[in-house]
Amino acid sequence: MSLAAAPRHPREALLGAQAGAVVLPVCDHYSGVEVRMRKSLQLQAEMTEEFGTCMFDVTLDCEDGAPVGGEADHAALVMTLALLADEKARVAVRVHPVDHPAFEQDIATIAGKAGHRLAHVMIPKVESVDDVIRAEKALESASAGHLPLQVLIESPAAVQRAFDIAAHPRVQSLSFGLMDFVSAHGGAIPADGMSAAGQFTHPLVVRAKLEIAAACHAAGKVPSHCVVTEFSDAAAMQAAAGKAAREFGYTRMWSIHPSQIRPILEAFAPPPREIEVASRIIAAAAQADWAPISFEGQLHDRASYRYFWQVLERAHQTGRALPDEMQAYFLQAYRRPSLTETITP
């Protein structure tokens, strides 16, 4: 059977209930100063033109970007930039925590007036499902109830509740807030636990990362890895991104400097040989109507097809070259079910 005659899109044929699982760009780039926010949006547009698809989210930051006392003006600026962004742009906003005096104002100004241009809203310092519900109600009050929420897990108590938070139908992704998490331990974790290398060795930090990743995968959500503050150290950045992707189960990572975006894409991309093998296996599987096949002396069926299809999805997300017949799948219309259709509270 030809590829064009395959009865169903691979996501539908192979993933079943998982077909509605959230898929996001592997890089989430943060900026909060006006000149950097504008440059970030310009860089996103340039790389979208280069790769033919949006390669990273730009999250405009209110929590760390707004000067004290200037929260309202900063929210208005973020709203304006979101409205001015290119139609192909993926623009998001990090608002203040739900218990901050500026939270409601952030939601009303940005989500209320530019919600139709936002990809998601990031809520920092989420401690429980109650915080998620409060954010959800604020969006609904601002007539932006369609927007998904991404949340930051930044304390030991929040890590303990990560599975419940990830399971909420409005939540799309959990991010790990490394520096606040370390600070929340009152000096019990040394400063090295916030470094590019040390964050992968201290047992409490490692445990938190694994809990967050496991919670996301259990709920079909996206685990997003924390920042690397040594943004001028390319080797440290590449090593951290590689560990997050290959050893800790993360499928997305924060960038805080433009120089970190391409290393994140590289680290999260499958190697060329794996892309080649995945393409050949999926092509043979489609030809067999997804029945078992023999490939290079090994049996493959839908269990392994699912893995190799997900390799191709990551390759597409990271701008890797795909054979024409595989690229065609990503040009086909596929309606991804909404979070509320696929996940119940």
Side-chain angles (χ1 to χ4, degrees):
M1 176 177 286
S2 68
L3 183 65
R8 291 183 292 171
H9 192 282
R11 285 196 63 82
E12 181 185 356
L14 300 177
L15 301 187
Q18 296 179 353
V22 179
V23 176
L24 297 172
V26 302
C27 180
D28 189 8
H29 180 65
Y30 276 71
S31 55
V33 177
E34 180 176 2
V35 64
R36 293 174 187 165
M37 290 191 285
R38 292 183 181 275
K39 287 182 177 179
S40 297
L41 291 168
Q42 179 60 36
L43 178 60
Q44 184 189 62
E46 292 170 359
M47 289 184 66
T48 297
E49 182 70 20
E50 175 185 350
F51 288 97
T53 189
C54 188
M55 300 308 299
F56 62 95
D57 286 350
V58 171
T59 298
L60 307 177
D61 192 8
C62 289
E63 185 188 24
D64 290 339
V68 176
E71 291 88 354
D73 289 341
H74 194 79
L77 171 63
V78 166
M79 179 268 293
T80 299
L81 293 177
L83 290 174
L84 291 175
D86 185 89
E87 290 184 359
K88 297 180 181 179
R90 283 186 54 91
V91 184
V93 58
R94 175 166 68 163
V95 296
H96 287 85
V98 296
D99 59 355
H100 191 282
F103 170 72
E104 300 284 351
Q105 175 184 266
D106 285 349
I107 294 292
T109 300
I110 303 168
K113 297 178 181 178
H116 61 290
R117 299 303 301 273
L118 296 178
H120 65 266
V121 174
M122 168 62 77
I123 309 295
K125 295 180 174 57
V126 167
E127 290 292 306
S128 68
V129 174
D130 287 343
D131 290 343
V132 175
I133 293 171
R134 182 172 173 180
E136 182 181 38
K137 289 180 177 178
L139 285 176
E140 291 170 352
S141 296
S143 299
H146 65 287
L147 284 172
L149 293 171
Q150 297 189 12
V151 304
L152 259 169
I153 304 297
E154 304 181 69
S155 74
V159 170
Q160 183 183 12
R161 303 177 186 120
F163 280 80
D164 290 336
I165 294 169
H168 191 282
R170 185 64 60 190
V171 171
Q172 190 180 58
S173 172
L174 302 188
S175 292
F176 179 46
L178 171 65
M179 290 180 283
D180 280 280
F181 179 81
V182 171
S183 299
H185 284 76
I189 301 175
D192 184 61
M194 294 185 285
S195 70
Q199 64 177 283
F200 292 100
T201 58
H202 193 282
L204 286 174
V205 180
V206 168
R207 173 182 172 273
K209 290 187 183 196
L210 294 176
E211 285 291 300
I212 291 168
C216 286
H217 290 298
K221 309 301 177 63
V222 176
S224 186
H225 196 263
C226 58
V227 300
V228 170
T229 57
E230 300 96 320
F231 57 82
S232 61
D233 188 338
M237 178 66 211
Q238 191 74 34
K243 278 184 171 291
R246 292 190 300 271
E247 300 177 26
F248 283 74
Y250 282 79
T251 57
R252 180 168 161 96
M253 186 168 179
W254 285 35
S255 159
I256 55 171
H257 190 276
S259 65
Q260 295 181 329
I261 295 171
R262 289 183 187 267
I264 289 173
L265 295 179
E266 290 289 336
F268 281 78
R273 172 60 180 165
E274 190 168 7
I275 295 172
E276 177 190 352
V277 169
S279 299
R280 293 170 61 193
I281 289 175
I282 292 300
Q287 186 73 21
D289 288 342
W290 312 107
I293 63 168
S294 173
F295 179 82
E296 295 184 350
Q298 288 186 316
L299 173 68
H300 289 279
D301 59 17
R302 293 195 184 198
S304 56
Y305 298 160
R306 281 193 290 272
Y307 171 81
F308 288 110
W309 170 249
Q310 289 161 343
V311 168
L312 296 179
E313 286 196 316
R314 282 190 290 116
H316 176 71
Q317 287 176 272
T318 50
R320 305 305 98 171
L322 292 172
D324 290 344
E325 59 182 343
M326 294 299 111
Q327 186 64 31
Y329 281 131
F330 296 96
L331 300 176
Q332 293 177 19
Y334 176 77
R335 189 190 75 84
R336 187 183 307 282
S338 70
L339 287 176
T340 52
E341 286 180 294
T342 57
I343 300 171
T344 56

